[in-house]
Amino acid sequence: MGISELAFPATHECVEFMLLSMGKQLGFNVYTADPSKVCGNMRLGDLADMSRDYLSKYVGPELLKPLSRIDVVWHKSGAGFYAFEAVVGGNMHEALLRLSRISELNAKLFIVSYGNRKSEYDHSIRNPAFSSIRHRCRFISVAHLTKMFILTNLWRRSIETLQLSYMGR
């Protein structure tokens, strides 16, 4: 696509920003574990429309605590949960541990990190501690997420005139 730059850096907070923004544009309710984080001049909490109270309507107390610590969560009735951990300078093993703590939740699980950390992800996910999520967790590179973010923005703008009710506003 020839896309080389965003208007913001690909920091941990900005990866979360892209995930929150995409989720909203795709019609999901979105949650962030730390709404005080900022990407550029955008506070992540200003994008999030889910709270711990919202999450508690769908999961019991044993899952609420670990789910509320996940970087970004999408939810939509009928589509279920999507959980994302951004690993930008962070610890891959710890991120996978956070996802494994919600393994009882029927959710799609994702690690988002730089492409040069894919082999680290592949090695870590083979650890027996992650057997419960190994086949449900996917790796997304920051470069691929950036392309998805840009395409989602373009797509959403191109279909606005259709006023699709299920997409939300």
Side-chain angles (χ1 to χ4, degrees):
M1 277 184 15
I3 299 164
S4 60
E5 284 184 32
L6 288 175
F8 48 83
T11 62
H12 187 275
E13 293 80 5
C14 292
V15 166
E16 287 190 38
F17 167 81
M18 287 189 282
L19 289 165
L20 290 165
S21 179
M22 282 175 45
K24 285 186 74 89
Q25 290 185 50
L26 294 171
F28 287 87
N29 292 308
V30 296
Y31 170 87
T32 180
D34 188 350
S36 68
K37 289 182 179 177
V38 175
C39 170
N41 62 357
M42 176 62 73
R43 195 175 75 81
L44 298 185
D46 293 340
L47 286 171
D49 56 9
M50 277 196 290
S51 64
R52 280 179 61 102
D53 288 342
Y54 178 101
L55 294 173
S56 71
K57 294 176 186 175
Y58 294 93
V59 299
E62 69 285 345
L63 280 176
L64 179 60
K65 188 174 181 179
L67 182 60
S68 66
R69 291 183 174 153
I70 299 296
D71 286 334
V72 172
V73 177
W74 297 354
H75 179 258
K76 185 176 184 178
S77 293
F81 283 93
Y82 291 68
F84 301 87
E85 275 293 314
V87 185
V88 179
N91 186 298
M92 186 72 67
H93 188 82
E94 288 176 12
L96 287 166
L97 277 174
R98 282 190 292 280
L99 291 175
S100 70
R101 289 184 184 118
I102 62 165
S103 65
E104 293 175 35
L105 183 64
N106 186 20
K108 292 180 172 57
L109 309 173
F110 300 90
I111 292 287
V112 181
S113 190
Y114 289 108
N116 65 356
R117 295 190 72 182
K118 174 74 164 79
S119 61
E120 179 186 358
Y121 165 83
D122 290 339
H123 176 75
S124 296
I125 197 73
R126 286 193 292 267
N127 185 310
F130 306 127
S131 63
S132 63
I133 65 169
R134 185 174 300 126
H135 300 293
R136 293 190 295 139
C137 189
R138 299 288 177 257
F139 180 92
I140 300 173
S141 71
V142 171
H144 188 69
L145 176 70
T146 301
K147 288 178 184 177
M148 288 190 293
F149 173 75
I150 292 167
L151 289 171
T152 301
N153 279 298
L154 291 171
W155 169 76
R156 180 63 193 241
R157 277 186 277 184
S158 73
I159 65 161
E160 279 180 353
T161 55
L162 297 175
Q163 298 178 349
L164 301 171
S165 61
Y166 66 89
M167 292 302 292
R169 294 258 173 262

